[in-house]
Short mmCIF file of all heavy atoms in Angstrom, two decimals:
data_model
loop_
_atom_site.label_atom_id
_atom_site.label_comp_id
_atom_site.label_asym_id
_atom_site.label_seq_id
_atom_site.Cartn_x
_atom_site.Cartn_y
_atom_site.Cartn_z
N LYS B 272 15.44 -2.56 33.57
CA LYS B 272 14.79 -1.29 33.23
C LYS B 272 13.98 -1.40 31.96
O LYS B 272 12.82 -0.95 31.91
CB LYS B 272 15.85 -0.18 33.10
CG LYS B 272 15.25 1.20 32.88
CD LYS B 272 16.32 2.28 32.94
CE LYS B 272 15.70 3.68 32.79
NZ LYS B 272 16.73 4.75 32.90
N ILE B 273 14.55 -2.01 30.92
CA ILE B 273 13.81 -2.07 29.66
C ILE B 273 12.62 -3.01 29.78
O ILE B 273 11.55 -2.76 29.21
CB ILE B 273 14.74 -2.48 28.49
CG1 ILE B 273 14.08 -2.05 27.17
CG2 ILE B 273 15.03 -3.98 28.47
CD1 ILE B 273 15.01 -2.10 25.98
N LYS B 274 12.77 -4.09 30.57
CA LYS B 274 11.64 -4.99 30.77
C LYS B 274 10.52 -4.29 31.55
O LYS B 274 9.33 -4.58 31.33
CB LYS B 274 12.09 -6.27 31.49
CG LYS B 274 12.75 -7.28 30.56
CD LYS B 274 13.24 -8.51 31.28
CE LYS B 274 12.16 -9.22 32.05
NZ LYS B 274 11.05 -9.73 31.18
N GLY B 275 10.90 -3.39 32.43
CA GLY B 275 9.90 -2.63 33.17
C GLY B 275 9.02 -1.79 32.25
O GLY B 275 7.86 -1.49 32.57
N TRP B 276 9.56 -1.42 31.08
CA TRP B 276 8.80 -0.63 30.12
C TRP B 276 7.99 -1.50 29.15
O TRP B 276 6.93 -1.07 28.68
CB TRP B 276 9.76 0.25 29.30
CG TRP B 276 10.18 1.49 30.03
CD1 TRP B 276 11.34 1.69 30.71
CD2 TRP B 276 9.43 2.70 30.16
NE1 TRP B 276 11.38 2.94 31.27
CE2 TRP B 276 10.20 3.60 30.95
CE3 TRP B 276 8.17 3.12 29.71
CZ2 TRP B 276 9.77 4.87 31.27
CZ3 TRP B 276 7.74 4.39 30.03
CH2 TRP B 276 8.54 5.26 30.81
N ILE B 277 8.47 -2.70 28.86
CA ILE B 277 7.83 -3.45 27.76
C ILE B 277 7.02 -4.67 28.19
O ILE B 277 6.30 -5.23 27.38
CB ILE B 277 8.87 -3.88 26.70
CG1 ILE B 277 9.91 -4.84 27.30
CG2 ILE B 277 9.54 -2.67 26.08
CD1 ILE B 277 10.93 -5.33 26.28
N ASP B 278 7.13 -5.13 29.43
CA ASP B 278 6.29 -6.27 29.81
C ASP B 278 5.94 -6.21 31.30
O ASP B 278 6.55 -5.48 32.07
CB ASP B 278 6.96 -7.61 29.46
CG ASP B 278 8.13 -7.98 30.36
OD1 ASP B 278 7.89 -8.22 31.56
OD2 ASP B 278 9.26 -8.07 29.87
N TYR B 279 4.93 -7.01 31.65
CA TYR B 279 4.46 -7.09 33.04
C TYR B 279 4.89 -8.40 33.71
O TYR B 279 4.37 -8.76 34.76
CB TYR B 279 2.94 -6.97 33.10
CG TYR B 279 2.44 -5.56 32.95
CD1 TYR B 279 1.72 -5.18 31.81
CD2 TYR B 279 2.67 -4.60 33.92
CE1 TYR B 279 1.25 -3.89 31.66
CE2 TYR B 279 2.21 -3.30 33.79
CZ TYR B 279 1.50 -2.94 32.65
OH TYR B 279 1.04 -1.66 32.51
N GLY B 280 5.81 -9.11 33.07
CA GLY B 280 6.30 -10.33 33.68
C GLY B 280 5.51 -11.56 33.31
O GLY B 280 4.42 -11.49 32.73
N ILE B 281 6.05 -12.70 33.67
CA ILE B 281 5.44 -13.99 33.39
C ILE B 281 4.35 -14.26 34.42
O ILE B 281 4.44 -13.85 35.58
CB ILE B 281 6.53 -15.09 33.46
CG1 ILE B 281 7.62 -14.79 32.42
CG2 ILE B 281 5.95 -16.48 33.22
CD1 ILE B 281 8.93 -15.44 32.73
N TYR B 282 3.32 -14.97 34.00
CA TYR B 282 2.21 -15.35 34.87
C TYR B 282 2.77 -15.89 36.19
O TYR B 282 3.59 -16.82 36.21
CB TYR B 282 1.38 -16.40 34.16
CG TYR B 282 0.13 -16.88 34.86
CD1 TYR B 282 -0.74 -15.99 35.48
CD2 TYR B 282 -0.19 -18.24 34.86
CE1 TYR B 282 -1.90 -16.45 36.09
CE2 TYR B 282 -1.34 -18.70 35.47
CZ TYR B 282 -2.20 -17.80 36.09
OH TYR B 282 -3.35 -18.26 36.70
N THR B 283 2.33 -15.31 37.29
CA THR B 283 2.90 -15.62 38.61
C THR B 283 2.89 -17.11 38.95
O THR B 283 3.90 -17.63 39.46
CB THR B 283 2.18 -14.81 39.70
OG1 THR B 283 2.41 -13.42 39.46
CG2 THR B 283 2.71 -15.17 41.09
N PRO B 284 1.80 -17.86 38.72
CA PRO B 284 1.85 -19.30 39.04
C PRO B 284 2.96 -20.05 38.31
O PRO B 284 3.52 -21.00 38.86
CB PRO B 284 0.46 -19.79 38.61
CG PRO B 284 -0.42 -18.61 38.83
CD PRO B 284 0.43 -17.44 38.38
N ILE B 285 3.28 -19.64 37.10
CA ILE B 285 4.40 -20.28 36.39
C ILE B 285 5.71 -19.99 37.11
O ILE B 285 6.56 -20.87 37.27
CB ILE B 285 4.44 -19.81 34.93
CG1 ILE B 285 3.26 -20.37 34.15
CG2 ILE B 285 5.76 -20.22 34.26
CD1 ILE B 285 3.20 -19.93 32.69
#
Side-chain angles (χ1 to χ4, degrees):
K272 185 172 183 178
I273 200 167
K274 280 178 57 61
W276 280 99
I277 63 178
D278 73 65
Y279 282 112
I281 301 158
Y282 184 44
T283 297
I285 290 178

